[in-house]
Amino acid sequence: MSSFFRRKQSIQILFPNCSKISFRYSFLKPSQNPQALRSSLNRNLLIRPFSAKSVKVPEYEMPSVTWGVIQGRKEKLVSRVIICDYLKSIGIVPDELEDLELPSTVEVMRERVEFLQKLGLTIDDINEYPLMLGCSVRKNIIPVLGYLEKVGIQRSRLGEFVKNYPQCLHASVIVELVPVVKFLRGLDVEKQDIGYVLMKYPELLGFKLEGTMSTSVAYLVSIGVNPRDIGPMVTQYPYFLGMRVGTMIKPLVDYLVSLGLPRKILARMFEKRPYVLGYDLVETVRPNVDCLISFGIRREALGSVIAQYPQILGLPLKAKLSSQQYFFNLKLKVDPDGFSSVIEKMPQIVSLNQNVIMKPVEFLLGRAFPAEDVAKMIVKCPQLVAVQVGLMKNSYYFFKSEMGRPVKELVEFPEYFTYSLESRIKPRYQRLQSKGIRASLAWFLNCSDQRFEERLHGHYIEVESVGPSFCMGGKLELPGKEPVSEEEDESDDEILYRRTVSL
């Protein structure tokens, strides 16, 4: 008796053909004797008068957590067999449901299956995660789906969400889902983007706030990522919230820093392209860096290459470089050394379509440029192959008809085709004409507006010098102390980043 009564509460005993008998009982200590128990029952037993009319009452009335009834061991076994037979009849394998509490009737189970099917899940989807059948439609599924729809997931895509992350059906809305959404909002993820982020990475709903997500954000901020940019980063690539700092993010950062990339530039790179954080260091990044070196890219230029084109770390690089190198050698007469120089100056070449590359080349060849000169122009200014032919035509005809200069100047300064005809070439050339100054293309085009004005008002035409060189890990070298930026208060890293990284 002492092992049965655990706590003080009320209970109702149902006798056949009689009204309910209510009494209160309390825990009987081992020291108490049966006489004490009888006295306690006499004090607490409250017998209501018998009803004049015989009333039939079900044997069990207390509802269970599965909206069924409390069953004895034998009844449970029978119900489980019936439910498993039903599931097998519709193609669901119930093997994983052995330790799962199932509803008391097959009708309740049929309701769950049909509800999931209305969401868009198939029998195969249910077989992928049969534990979802242990979730009550009213207590689990409907509250979870209602909240997901509230935070921005379209009703028509709820089935897709459940298919991708069925574990969400076991979650508590208040205890587990709401805190995650509040955490995302705290990172400056826009309210209208919450549904998009969760659809992209539904496993976020299963993370602990004080674990991986918080440490990932804290580490990125520590290397220079602007806290205000974390929200857009999450919207673009939420997967970094699930990456461990010690095993994934920090080793990648340390390796890129060892290649000459300053942390400040890395931070800007991650802000604009957070998916770089997902590149596998061992499987992808290291092999691609080794591949660049094998194709003649100088080690001191690796940082510049990565800063200009971060995606190069995640490409199937060996195949792309092999294909482009062969194409440049065969069609453009650019040797392997020239090709490596092209990659250092414009690494995006590895992904540029060969038909796109040929259009500017064919335009130049059609204007009687020798193939050797075209090759020199491309090695000197690889951006030439990405210029639209229509713009090249306009610039070329202005050069020939208005400026009347020899074609040799274009071979020496192919960058001419990369400048805007209307906003830079024409206005500056007209200023030169009004002043009666004749200067090379590089002298009046390859400088800022401020520097151009200074040159116009100078007492002599200064000797031209080469452009700034890029040296990762050090300062930006400015030959002849020539200013290269209109913003004089920029730091060396900011100048380096702005001039070499096109994000």
Side-chain angles (χ1 to χ4, degrees), residues 53 113 127 226 239 260 319 376 382 397 476 494:
K53 185 178 180 181
V113 173
N127 275 327
N226 191 331
Y239 307 101
K376 291 178 183 178
Y397 292 137
L476 189 65
E494 288 170 339

Side-chain angles (χ1 to χ4, degrees), residues 190-313:
E190 298 293 338
K191 187 175 181 180
Q192 63 269 20
D193 292 330
I194 294 291
Y196 172 79
V197 170
L198 294 179
M199 279 298 300
K200 204 168 186 179
Y201 192 33
E203 288 82 359
L204 281 177
L205 293 176
F207 290 155
K208 299 294 183 183
L209 303 185
E210 66 279 4
T212 305
M213 290 199 291
S214 297
T215 53
S216 299
V217 172
Y219 179 77
L220 290 173
V221 171
S222 73
I223 67 171
V225 173
N226 191 331
R228 289 184 173 274
D229 288 314
I230 293 292
M233 287 173 64
V234 172
T235 303
Q236 185 180 352
Y237 189 77
Y239 307 101
F240 77 84
L241 292 177
M243 296 177 183
R244 294 187 178 276
V245 171
T247 58
M248 296 185 70
I249 301 179
K250 188 176 184 298
L252 177 64
V253 170
D254 291 343
Y255 178 69
L256 294 178
V257 169
S258 73
L259 297 178
L261 275 162
R263 288 178 180 266
K264 188 170 185 178
I265 290 182
L266 272 181
R268 302 291 85 77
M269 192 170 76
F270 292 150
E271 288 170 2
K272 301 298 181 181
R273 288 180 169 81
Y275 53 79
V276 173
L277 291 166
Y279 293 157
D280 188 274
L281 178 60
V282 176
E283 298 292 332
T284 306
V285 177
R286 287 183 185 273
N288 279 357
V289 171
D290 294 339
C291 181
L292 288 170
I293 294 173
S294 70
F295 274 83
I297 310 302
R298 295 170 298 135
R299 288 185 177 273
E300 58 268 25
L302 288 173
S304 170
V305 169
I306 295 170
Q308 293 178 74
Y309 191 47
Q311 298 95 311
I312 203 168
L313 295 175

Side-chain angles (χ1 to χ4, degrees), residues 177-192:
L177 304 189
V178 171
V180 171
V181 172
K182 287 184 176 179
F183 178 80
L184 294 176
R185 292 286 291 123
L187 295 179
D188 281 343
V189 177
E190 298 293 338
K191 187 175 181 180
Q192 63 269 20

